[in-house]
Amino acid sequence: MAASLFDKVWEAHTVRELPSGQTQLFIGLHLIHEVTSPQAFQMLEERGLKVRFPDRTFATLDHIVPTGSQVRPFADALAEEMTQHLHANCQKHGIRFFDLASGLQGIVHVIGPEQGLTQPGMTIACGDSHTSTHGAFGAIAFGIGTTQVRDVLATQCLAMAKPRLRQVRVDGDLAAGVYAKDVILAIIQRLGVKGGVGYAYEYAGTTFDRMSIEERLTVCNMSIEGGARCGYVNPDQKTVDYLRGRPHAPGDADFDRAAKWWLGMASDQGATYDDLFRMDAGAVEPMVTWGINPGQSVGVSQKIPRTAEVEDDSRAGHLEALEFMDFKEGQPISGVPIDVAFIGSCTNGRMSDLEIAADLVRGRKVHPRVKAMVVPGSMLVAIEAQKRGLDKVFQEAGFEWRAAGCSMCLAMNPDKLQGREICASSSNRNFKGRQGSPTGRTLLMSPAMVAAAAIAGEVTDVREMF
Amino acid sequence: MSNSSKVQKIQGRAVVLRGNDIDTDRIIPARFLRCVTFDGLGDHAFEDDRLQDPNHAFNQGANAGASVLVVDDNFGCGSSREHAPQALNRWGIRALVGGSFAEIFFGNCVALGIPCLKMGAEERTRLMAAIKANPGAELEIDIASASVTVPGAGSFQGEIPAGPQRQLLDGTWDALAVLLESASQIDAVASALPYTHRFQA
């Protein structure tokens, strides 16, 4: 019988059905970082338990790492303490740690793919909601809490209820200036921030088929912003090609066998879904969020919706967002002045993101009012970008070129908004206070749109800058 | 909370917090995640919202000591941080009632033995009105019937998925003990997956 990738992966990883009706699911890859793991290791020790499969857990440092001086000890004593805890826990339990000294450090959802750890047909868990990113390879990947991090450390398993499956089908070509980020923002705008609760998403259709792996990572990354705990794209030849030669991918002698298994995990023709959503790629324009959740967005040529136009149960949230952002209903989003421009994060901090932004700023200058920064997603991204001279392009335009980390996506490090600043950001969340100032404001958009806003000093249509 | 105990009934006063899509960054701002224990997080629950809104529910003296949090739709969306339910729990919350909950937040609550009851919009409106009309009333949440009783104002029907309901009632909400039972089955599944031996023949 025809099966979806989701069903195949779920079945291959099922240990048993639990009395609660949940499934005990084996986790093929466990990624940890400094923020959500220390308490898990503590709980493990309180129970006198060991890490069950230490070679299936990998660690990195990303949320709290400063992107300026990374000399140890860090200036922030709390950040230093968290780093030391992760070091000690990894050492004690025999876990590979991609720390700063390894030269391979970076945002957890950037280094997993980069190292070839993320592979099709796997289950992947991490104490971070953007773990959905890894679905770009055809993995079932989801975020978990710290108690569940403990469960994975102790048993390599989770107790999970099987979600329903929705196919999100997008067909057609994207117009010039429209990117993967715009596609996922448009999907979330249409389905709402809770539209995906209880679902896993399969992204299918010619638009995703034509996307690069890095573009698919951007799409899957924001599944959780639409309420879906995981989202995936079926593996294809691009997936296989991306993995060939990566440090943790299968070796040459076994690679073809691996590729066959990976491609065999893709959804069969005729697989069934609990729900289907369709969108036409040609209808998508560059998107900008204007509110306080990632569903509150408009196309760059559009105006902020009027409160009377929104559905009854969204009206209070609409008013709250207008008040917090200090925007007026019916106001065009284009022309909104910005103070800060941030390019980076697990959504858009990869090589192709930096290349697109660099092409736009080459030979131009950042608007004098704007503080602009580029934060590569990993040390390897930074090295590759420097090799291609992108750091110089950004610096000559007036951007700061910083070291790898989560940076201003969530501001658990020195990179923060001040006061009421408005930030054009390539990250994933525009929640109140998200970027470090309780009253700071975030406008989410593609890296190209951030670059355009940095130059213009205001939200502007990147299509007019080519 | 390392030992799972049966969660059958929760009694206590309610605090009502209105608004859809209240995310975990608002429940506990990221700067308070710079820590290696969950201790002390209760003091910072909703810190930034409280600073910006003197009338925030968590600022009102009458709500101090409440143990049931009543919310609207999609509560706890965003980050997977368990620091969010940990902060609420350390503030005093033992159960939540709401229109709907984000999935990771809901799972984190179950893993701590904190029930989240879903309640439809009409029923929830009546519940909120009953709480307002009976300030300081001790509510009772009954997990087996998924209902909330407000003394003098009747009973309000919610719902809780069968799995978590059973985990709470049986005291198996801490999944670790159950997961540890099947060591040999775990090994069998692991070795049957070709990637665990790097696809070597």
Side-chain angles (χ1 to χ4, degrees):
Chain A
M1 204 184 110
S4 65
L5 177 142
F6 192 86
D7 285 343
K8 294 184 202 181
V9 174
W10 190 273
E11 194 186 334
H13 292 79
T14 293
V15 174
R16 60 172 179 151
E17 301 305 323
L18 298 172
S20 63
Q22 293 168 308
T23 303
Q24 178 166 355
L25 202 65
F26 182 80
I27 300 302
L29 174 65
H30 184 212
L31 300 166
I32 59 172
H33 59 78
E34 72 282 12
V35 179
T36 56
S37 71
Q39 299 89 342
F41 282 107
Q42 180 66 33
M43 294 183 221
L44 201 67
E45 272 162 37
E46 281 166 9
R47 297 245 186 144
L49 293 166
K50 289 194 167 70
V51 177
R52 185 76 158 69
F53 290 83
D55 58 343
R56 305 222 67 82
T57 294
F58 295 83
T60 190
L61 189 68
D62 54 7
H63 287 64
I64 55 87
V65 72
T67 63
S69 166
Q70 295 186 327
V71 175
R72 302 277 306 275
F74 297 142
D76 176 355
L78 288 171
E80 178 62 27
E81 186 187 1
M82 293 166 80
T83 306
Q84 287 179 11
H85 270 259
L86 186 54
H87 255 293
N89 286 325
C90 287
Q91 201 153 35
K92 180 170 177 187
H93 296 281
I95 293 166
R96 174 81 191 271
F97 183 18
F98 297 106
D99 62 356
L100 291 168
S102 73
L104 303 172
Q105 170 268 345
I107 306 175
V108 64
H109 311 309
V110 176
I111 67 162
E114 198 171 71
Q115 291 299 315
L117 289 164
T118 303
Q119 296 173 13
M122 274 184 170
T123 47
I124 301 178
C126 173
D128 190 290
S129 61
H130 292 113
T131 306
S132 58
T133 311
H134 305 263
F137 288 78
I140 300 305
F142 42 79
I144 55 176
T146 294
T147 298
Q148 291 176 307
V149 172
R150 174 206 64 184
D151 294 348
V152 180
L153 289 171
T155 67
Q156 204 62 32
C157 290
L158 287 169
M160 296 282 293
K162 191 177 180 184
R164 287 169 292 171
L165 184 60
R166 171 182 289 151
Q167 191 178 56
V168 175
R169 191 169 179 93
V170 184
D171 288 296
D173 288 316
L174 295 173
V178 181
Y179 301 93
K181 179 67 158 286
D182 302 308
V183 173
I184 187 63
L185 282 172
I187 291 169
I188 298 166
Q189 183 210 46
R190 285 158 174 79
L191 289 171
V193 289
K194 61 170 183 166
V197 173
Y199 282 101
Y201 280 0
E202 175 177 297
Y203 298 102
T206 55
T207 309
F208 301 115
D209 292 344
R210 288 168 199 161
M211 282 186 184
S212 69
I213 295 296
E214 293 196 353
E215 291 174 302
R216 294 175 188 175
L217 286 162
T218 299
V219 171
C220 292
N221 172 273
M222 290 189 71
S223 302
I224 186 66
E225 309 311 334
R229 199 169 181 177
C230 69
Y232 66 88
V233 178
N234 281 304
D236 60 9
Q237 194 55 41
K238 282 183 203 174
T239 321
V240 172
D241 292 344
Y242 179 98
L243 282 162
R244 194 183 294 275
R246 302 257 162 198
H248 290 266
D252 285 346
D254 306 305
F255 194 83
D256 289 347
R257 201 161 27 244
K260 193 174 169 215
W261 190 77
W262 292 337
L263 295 171
M265 295 305 272
S267 293
D268 299 325
Q269 283 280 343
T272 54
Y273 301 87
D274 300 297
D275 191 42
L276 173 65
F277 169 79
R278 280 177 185 275
M279 194 173 79
D280 171 18
V284 180
E285 65 167 328
M287 301 291 291
V288 182
T289 65
W290 60 268
I292 55 173
N293 72 53
Q296 292 171 323
S297 66
V298 289
V300 66
S301 70
Q302 298 176 322
K303 293 173 177 165
I304 296 172
R306 294 187 181 276
T307 308
E309 293 164 6
V310 302
E311 286 172 31
D312 287 354
D313 68 335
S314 302
R315 206 158 288 159
H318 192 85
L319 287 168
E320 184 186 2
L322 286 172
E323 188 189 350
F324 182 82
M325 298 300 287
D326 197 18
F327 291 159
K328 305 226 168 353
E329 58 173 6
Q331 172 185 346
I333 194 70
S334 184
V336 168
I338 65 150
D339 307 293
V340 177
F342 169 63
I343 295 173
S345 84
C346 58
T347 315
N348 283 123
R350 298 181 184 82
M351 200 55 216
S352 56
D353 300 311
L354 305 193
E355 279 180 319
I356 289 165
D359 281 347
L360 267 151
V361 306
R362 190 175 278 115
R364 291 177 162 130
K365 291 284 178 205
V366 168
H367 189 279
R369 186 184 53 245
V370 175
K371 186 169 65 189
M373 59 199 285
V374 181
V375 183
S378 71
M379 284 177 146
L380 290 182
V381 170
I383 288 166
E384 180 62 22
Q386 285 160 3
K387 207 190 288 176
R388 300 192 201 176
L390 301 193
D391 56 328
K392 297 284 178 299
V393 173
F394 284 116
Q395 284 169 332
E396 279 162 19
F399 281 83
E400 282 182 54
W401 175 258
R402 303 184 73 90
C406 295
S407 184
M408 207 188 269
C409 175
L410 88 169
M412 283 187 69
N413 46 68
D415 305 341
K416 290 180 171 64
L417 294 183
Q418 305 296 321
R420 289 287 277 159
E421 281 180 339
I422 297 185
C423 179
S425 181
S426 74
S427 55
N428 42 54
R429 290 192 172 133
N430 52 343
F431 297 154
K432 287 181 178 177
R434 172 75 178 181
Q435 292 193 286
S437 162
T439 55
R441 294 170 284 177
T442 303
L443 308 179
L444 301 176
M445 56 190 88
S446 73
M449 283 285 288
V450 175
I455 304 296
E458 59 186 40
V459 175
T460 194
D461 191 338
V462 67
R463 294 172 295 186
E464 290 164 12
M465 291 188 69
F466 291 131
Chain B
M1 266 190 276
S2 55
N3 293 314
S4 224
S5 54
K6 291 179 180 176
V7 180
Q8 292 166 332
K9 289 184 198 301
I10 288 122
Q11 277 133 343
R13 283 184 292 116
V15 49
V16 176
L17 181 64
R18 300 304 309 265
N20 295 338
D21 309 316
I22 293 179
D23 59 75
T24 52
D25 275 88
R26 285 169 70 178
I27 299 171
I28 185 78
R31 62 183 180 279
F32 301 115
L33 274 53
R34 286 159 51 253
C35 57
V36 293
T37 77
F38 292 125
D39 297 343
L41 286 179
D43 295 340
H44 302 296
F46 292 110
E47 177 138 325
D48 291 343
D49 279 7
R50 293 170 69 178
L51 285 171
Q52 289 169 62
D53 178 10
N55 297 319
H56 190 276
F58 276 52
N59 279 339
Q60 293 170 23
N63 287 330
S67 49
V68 178
L69 178 57
V70 184
V71 296
D72 287 313
D73 272 321
N74 201 28
F75 186 80
C77 60
S79 158
S80 63
R81 60 188 69 165
E82 189 172 305
H83 304 68
Q86 292 277 2
L88 294 176
N89 189 237
R90 281 165 163 73
W91 189 85
I93 299 302
R94 300 285 172 270
L96 289 90
V97 180
S100 61
F101 298 91
E103 222 166 302
I104 304 179
F105 178 85
F106 180 92
N108 283 340
C109 285
V110 173
L112 299 175
I114 303 170
C116 296
L117 242 66
K118 266 178 80 164
M119 191 176 279
E122 268 177 45
E123 193 79 341
R124 200 166 76 250
T125 304
R126 294 202 305 117
L127 171 66
M128 287 180 179
I131 292 167
K132 200 170 176 185
N134 297 275
E138 290 268 325
L139 277 62
E140 182 174 284
I141 297 182
D142 180 58
I143 301 302
S145 62
S147 64
V148 183
T149 304
V150 182
S155 179
F156 303 84
Q157 191 60 47
E159 52 181 296
I160 183 163
Q165 183 178 42
R166 183 149 176 201
Q167 287 177 286
L168 291 161
L169 290 172
D170 294 352
T172 55
W173 42 267
D174 183 342
L176 185 52
V178 176
L179 295 175
L180 282 165
E181 284 168 6
S182 49
S184 61
Q185 283 160 281
I186 297 172
D187 286 336
V189 169
S191 62
L193 288 162
Y195 64 76
T196 61
H197 36 91
R198 299 193 72 174
F199 295 92
Q200 282 160 11

